[in-house]
mmCIF file of all heavy atoms in Angstrom:
data_model
loop_
_atom_site.group_PDB
_atom_site.id
_atom_site.type_symbol
_atom_site.label_atom_id
_atom_site.label_comp_id
_atom_site.label_asym_id
_atom_site.label_seq_id
_atom_site.Cartn_x
_atom_site.Cartn_y
_atom_site.Cartn_z
ATOM 1 N N MET A 470 143.278 -77.507 47.130
ATOM 2 C CA MET A 470 142.229 -78.249 46.458
ATOM 3 C C MET A 470 142.347 -78.038 44.961
ATOM 4 O O MET A 470 142.225 -76.908 44.474
ATOM 5 C CB MET A 470 140.852 -77.755 46.946
ATOM 6 C CG MET A 470 140.711 -77.725 48.470
ATOM 7 S SD MET A 470 141.175 -79.262 49.301
ATOM 8 C CE MET A 470 139.790 -80.316 48.831
ATOM 9 N N LYS A 472 140.525 -80.001 42.867
ATOM 10 C CA LYS A 472 139.393 -80.693 42.304
ATOM 11 C C LYS A 472 138.816 -79.917 41.135
ATOM 12 O O LYS A 472 139.103 -78.748 40.944
ATOM 13 C CB LYS A 472 138.327 -80.868 43.376
ATOM 14 C CG LYS A 472 137.837 -79.550 43.921
ATOM 15 C CD LYS A 472 137.062 -79.708 45.212
ATOM 16 C CE LYS A 472 136.572 -78.353 45.695
ATOM 17 N NZ LYS A 472 136.171 -78.359 47.094
ATOM 18 N N TYR A 476 139.745 -76.129 39.602
ATOM 19 C CA TYR A 476 138.783 -75.010 39.454
ATOM 20 C C TYR A 476 138.784 -74.511 38.017
ATOM 21 O O TYR A 476 138.667 -73.307 37.771
ATOM 22 C CB TYR A 476 139.061 -73.895 40.433
ATOM 23 C CG TYR A 476 138.803 -74.185 41.903
ATOM 24 C CD1 TYR A 476 139.273 -75.346 42.494
ATOM 25 C CD2 TYR A 476 138.039 -73.309 42.679
ATOM 26 C CE1 TYR A 476 139.033 -75.624 43.820
ATOM 27 C CE2 TYR A 476 137.797 -73.582 44.036
ATOM 28 C CZ TYR A 476 138.293 -74.741 44.586
ATOM 29 O OH TYR A 476 138.042 -75.021 45.918
ATOM 30 N N MET A 518 138.335 -86.993 48.124
ATOM 31 C CA MET A 518 137.203 -86.733 49.009
ATOM 32 C C MET A 518 136.018 -87.695 48.760
ATOM 33 O O MET A 518 135.270 -87.965 49.660
ATOM 34 C CB MET A 518 136.735 -85.292 48.839
ATOM 35 C CG MET A 518 137.805 -84.329 49.363
ATOM 36 S SD MET A 518 137.134 -82.665 49.512
ATOM 37 C CE MET A 518 136.892 -82.245 47.790
ATOM 38 N N ARG A 569 126.734 -82.597 54.985
ATOM 39 C CA ARG A 569 127.033 -83.168 53.664
ATOM 40 C C ARG A 569 127.582 -84.555 53.991
ATOM 41 O O ARG A 569 126.843 -85.380 54.465
ATOM 42 C CB ARG A 569 128.005 -82.269 52.926
ATOM 43 C CG ARG A 569 128.031 -82.521 51.447
ATOM 44 C CD ARG A 569 128.720 -81.377 50.692
ATOM 45 N NE ARG A 569 130.162 -81.263 51.009
ATOM 46 C CZ ARG A 569 130.962 -80.371 50.435
ATOM 47 N NH1 ARG A 569 130.519 -79.564 49.512
ATOM 48 N NH2 ARG A 569 132.226 -80.330 50.760
ATOM 49 N N HIS A 598 134.481 -79.429 57.609
ATOM 50 C CA HIS A 598 134.372 -78.354 56.645
ATOM 51 C C HIS A 598 133.421 -77.282 57.168
ATOM 52 O O HIS A 598 132.344 -77.627 57.662
ATOM 53 C CB HIS A 598 133.879 -78.934 55.348
ATOM 54 C CG HIS A 598 134.064 -78.074 54.137
ATOM 55 N ND1 HIS A 598 135.092 -77.186 53.967
ATOM 56 C CD2 HIS A 598 133.338 -77.983 52.981
ATOM 57 C CE1 HIS A 598 135.028 -76.583 52.830
ATOM 58 N NE2 HIS A 598 133.972 -77.062 52.184
ATOM 59 N N ASN A 639 138.781 -73.701 54.965
ATOM 60 C CA ASN A 639 138.958 -73.437 53.533
ATOM 61 C C ASN A 639 139.485 -72.025 53.371
ATOM 62 O O ASN A 639 139.884 -71.376 54.353
ATOM 63 C CB ASN A 639 137.616 -73.663 52.825
ATOM 64 C CG ASN A 639 136.512 -72.736 53.336
ATOM 65 O OD1 ASN A 639 136.721 -72.056 54.346
ATOM 66 N ND2 ASN A 639 135.366 -72.752 52.692
ATOM 67 N N THR A 640 139.458 -71.495 52.155
ATOM 68 C CA THR A 640 140.040 -70.158 51.885
ATOM 69 C C THR A 640 139.500 -69.114 52.863
ATOM 70 O O THR A 640 140.280 -68.435 53.546
ATOM 71 C CB THR A 640 139.690 -69.706 50.452
ATOM 72 O OG1 THR A 640 140.234 -70.654 49.556
ATOM 73 C CG2 THR A 640 140.298 -68.333 50.160
ATOM 74 N N ARG A 655 143.055 -75.954 54.098
ATOM 75 C CA ARG A 655 142.744 -76.388 52.736
ATOM 76 C C ARG A 655 142.392 -75.200 51.856
ATOM 77 O O ARG A 655 141.321 -74.626 51.929
ATOM 78 C CB ARG A 655 141.564 -77.363 52.740
ATOM 79 C CG ARG A 655 141.828 -78.626 53.537
ATOM 80 C CD ARG A 655 140.700 -79.631 53.379
ATOM 81 N NE ARG A 655 139.397 -79.059 53.721
ATOM 82 C CZ ARG A 655 138.910 -79.017 54.948
ATOM 83 N NH1 ARG A 655 139.539 -79.585 55.971
ATOM 84 N NH2 ARG A 655 137.724 -78.508 55.153
ATOM 85 N N LEU A 656 143.341 -74.810 51.022
ATOM 86 C CA LEU A 656 143.147 -73.624 50.186
ATOM 87 C C LEU A 656 142.479 -74.015 48.858
ATOM 88 O O LEU A 656 142.867 -74.946 48.226
ATOM 89 C CB LEU A 656 144.534 -73.008 49.894
ATOM 90 C CG LEU A 656 144.569 -71.794 48.980
ATOM 91 C CD1 LEU A 656 143.827 -70.632 49.600
ATOM 92 C CD2 LEU A 656 146.018 -71.391 48.688
ATOM 93 N N GLY A 657 141.453 -73.241 48.479
ATOM 94 C CA GLY A 657 140.782 -73.507 47.216
ATOM 95 C C GLY A 657 140.696 -72.246 46.388
ATOM 96 O O GLY A 657 141.707 -71.780 45.835
ATOM 97 N N ILE A 658 139.565 -71.623 46.346
ATOM 98 C CA ILE A 658 139.290 -70.526 45.416
ATOM 99 C C ILE A 658 140.271 -69.371 45.524
ATOM 100 O O ILE A 658 140.552 -68.684 44.561
ATOM 101 C CB ILE A 658 137.826 -70.061 45.628
ATOM 102 C CG1 ILE A 658 137.366 -69.129 44.489
ATOM 103 C CG2 ILE A 658 137.643 -69.320 46.960
ATOM 104 C CD1 ILE A 658 136.554 -69.824 43.447
ATOM 105 N N TYR A 785 132.902 -69.565 41.473
ATOM 106 C CA TYR A 785 133.261 -70.973 41.399
ATOM 107 C C TYR A 785 132.598 -71.603 40.185
ATOM 108 O O TYR A 785 133.210 -72.383 39.446
ATOM 109 C CB TYR A 785 132.747 -71.753 42.618
ATOM 110 C CG TYR A 785 133.323 -71.366 43.982
ATOM 111 C CD1 TYR A 785 132.901 -70.277 44.659
ATOM 112 C CD2 TYR A 785 134.244 -72.209 44.584
ATOM 113 C CE1 TYR A 785 133.403 -69.961 45.934
ATOM 114 C CE2 TYR A 785 134.752 -71.923 45.857
ATOM 115 C CZ TYR A 785 134.316 -70.812 46.525
ATOM 116 O OH TYR A 785 134.799 -70.512 47.764
HETATM 117 C C1 PLP B 1 136.520 -77.398 47.866
HETATM 118 C C2 PLP B 1 136.869 -77.603 49.260
HETATM 119 C C3 PLP B 1 137.722 -76.710 49.953
HETATM 120 C C4 PLP B 1 138.198 -75.412 49.345
HETATM 121 O O1 PLP B 1 137.177 -74.481 49.456
HETATM 122 P P1 PLP B 1 137.387 -72.954 48.951
HETATM 123 O O2 PLP B 1 136.172 -72.240 49.410
HETATM 124 O O3 PLP B 1 137.481 -73.034 47.477
HETATM 125 O O4 PLP B 1 138.629 -72.484 49.591
HETATM 126 C C5 PLP B 1 138.110 -77.030 51.200
HETATM 127 N N1 PLP B 1 137.685 -78.166 51.824
HETATM 128 C C6 PLP B 1 136.844 -79.022 51.204
HETATM 129 C C7 PLP B 1 136.406 -80.243 51.926
HETATM 130 C C8 PLP B 1 136.408 -78.761 49.902
HETATM 131 O O5 PLP B 1 135.563 -79.615 49.327
#
Side-chain angles (χ1 to χ4, degrees):
M470 308 310 287
K472 61 194 180 196
Y476 289 50
M518 292 192 292
R569 200 165 64 178
H598 197 31
N639 59 353
T640 301
R655 298 187 306 273
L656 178 63
I658 193 98
Y785 296 78

